[in-house]
Amino acid sequence: MHDTVVEELLDNAEHAATGRTAAPPTTRPPLVRLLHRLGQERPVAVPVPDGARLARTAFDRTDFADAWRVPLDPGMPRDPRAWRDVLPFPVVASEGDELLLGQDARHLDFRASLLVGERDVTLSTVVRTHNRLGRLYFGAVRHVHPFMTRLVLRRTRRRLALAAPTAGSRHRRREAARG
């Protein structure tokens, strides 16, 4: 792991100094990738944030609400549309740093809010059931929901973290913007 960190550090330094890397960038061996994945930030349960106005006002009555937050790494996108692929549901609304996804059905309606802050992203879910079938359905889904929410949030965070520009690239952009 030490060798990989040193090689990545040297790649970033070379890129920051010259704007390019002479050799192909360092690739992480399987063991390093595994250790990186095991050490990755995990979503933590939080209350639905006050800033998630679209989620808080989605329904006049809410039967279930939860939220999971995960920190952002340097260089990760702060635009909620970049996080849109967390869930395969249509966009219902968008306002500022919040994107609201959701779907309505005869038995229940749900909304999922992606709120991107300066240091973290929060995925909030609100559900409104309509009838006994909705309560029965969500009674079963409620047990799987936290696991699935954490899983999709972690996977999306990992994909975006790996696609984020390197420290060298970010440094070059800052230097170019200054003058």
Side-chain angles (χ1 to χ4, degrees), residues 4-172:
T4 302
V5 170
V6 170
E7 288 174 17
E8 287 181 355
L9 179 78
L10 292 173
D11 284 349
N12 283 336
E14 181 179 5
H15 192 266
T18 66
R20 58 186 169 74
T21 306
T26 302
T27 56
R28 295 177 177 177
L31 179 60
V32 172
R33 288 195 307 265
L34 174 66
L35 292 173
H36 186 263
R37 185 173 280 187
L38 291 174
Q40 184 181 26
E41 295 284 351
R42 297 181 189 278
V44 294
V46 296
V48 176
D50 292 335
R53 290 188 315 273
L54 294 175
R56 290 181 162 279
T57 60
F59 304 125
D60 56 346
R61 167 186 59 81
T62 301
D63 297 316
F64 173 83
D66 76 346
W68 296 88
R69 179 175 291 153
V70 68
L72 295 173
D73 288 340
M76 288 180 70
R78 292 337 193 235
D79 183 355
R81 291 174 298 202
W83 291 81
R84 195 258 163 270
D85 292 336
V86 166
L87 298 169
F89 298 105
V91 174
V92 176
S94 177
E95 181 181 292
D97 293 335
E98 184 180 14
L99 187 67
L100 191 68
L101 309 169
Q103 201 159 20
D104 297 341
R106 288 191 330 226
H107 60 294
L108 64 77
D109 303 333
F110 83 91
R111 299 292 182 266
S113 161
L114 287 162
L115 180 67
V116 181
E118 284 299 314
R119 295 188 190 112
D120 51 43
V121 63
T122 305
L123 176 59
S124 306
T125 306
V126 291
V127 177
R128 174 179 62 185
T129 58
H130 296 299
N131 51 36
R132 189 178 316 180
L133 177 61
R135 288 186 296 278
L136 182 65
Y137 173 80
F138 195 73
V141 169
R142 172 180 255 148
H143 299 289
V144 179
H145 173 77
F147 171 77
M148 293 305 294
T149 302
R150 290 189 313 261
L151 178 70
V152 298
L153 192 55
R154 268 186 90 189
R155 282 186 177 172
T156 303
R157 181 191 183 281
R158 181 173 183 276
R159 180 179 52 80
L160 292 173
L162 291 174
T166 64
S169 298
R170 293 192 311 273
H171 175 74
R172 298 270 305 163

